[in-house]
Amino acid sequence: MSRTFFDSNILVYAFTPGSRSEIAYALLNRGGVVSTQSLNELANVLRRKQKQDWLAVHNAIQAVIDRCPTIVALTMQVQQLGLRMAERYRLSIYDGMIVAAALTAECDILYSEDMHDGLVIDGRLTVVNPFAPAA
């Protein structure tokens, strides 16, 4: 059985009206794993870019937590692994931290729009862009 991890961009789409919202929310409803970084980035986008009020931000975060009770904290081990992943796979530092959190949680699928669709990391984590056109 696969274990999935959600990058913050997928979470944002789940709580943003638009064409991608339905896909993102359906994935989130299946459950998975997130990191504190993903939750913080979700809160930032909802608050600053979308101008949502604090109640909406809290409700969105709680909805994620209800569906993804496993939350990976940014520890020094995750941070150091994230730096190595960023360097090795030429990722941004923030994407490296997301990858490290997913690896730490022993996930095998990382849903992300930002990273290269199909990228396999350490032979065990595959990046999947759920919005990419089918091959």
Side-chain angles (χ1 to χ4, degrees):
M1 183 172 165
S2 66
R3 187 167 164 110
T4 60
F5 192 96
F6 295 101
D7 194 353
S8 57
N9 51 53
I10 305 302
L11 301 180
V12 169
Y13 281 122
F15 296 97
T16 303
S19 61
R20 295 179 174 191
S21 179
E22 192 172 310
I23 293 168
Y25 203 79
L27 289 172
L28 182 60
N29 272 334
R30 294 182 197 163
V33 179
V34 295
S35 66
T36 52
Q37 176 184 336
S38 296
L39 294 175
N40 290 338
E41 289 178 8
L42 171 62
N44 185 57
V45 170
L46 294 180
R47 193 70 188 127
R48 291 188 176 247
K49 291 185 179 178
Q50 296 183 6
K51 308 296 185 201
Q52 292 191 25
D53 63 30
W54 282 109
L55 180 59
V57 172
H58 286 286
N59 287 340
I61 289 174
Q62 189 59 54
V64 173
I65 292 168
D66 290 345
R67 289 158 180 82
C68 302
T70 301
I71 301 168
V72 179
L74 181 59
T75 63
M76 282 308 299
Q77 288 175 324
V78 172
Q79 192 272 341
Q80 290 171 350
L81 178 58
L83 288 177
R84 289 193 305 273
M85 294 296 102
E87 179 180 15
R88 180 174 177 191
Y89 293 97
R90 296 182 180 167
L91 303 170
S92 75
I93 296 298
Y94 298 106
D95 286 347
M97 297 304 143
I98 291 294
V99 165
L103 290 170
T104 298
E106 298 181 353
C107 293
D108 54 355
I109 296 173
L110 167 56
Y111 286 116
S112 177
E113 180 189 41
D114 292 342
M115 293 180 236
H116 179 71
D117 185 45
L119 175 65
V120 178
I121 298 170
D122 271 8
R124 59 189 173 114
L125 177 67
T126 302
V127 176
V128 175
N129 179 349
F131 313 118

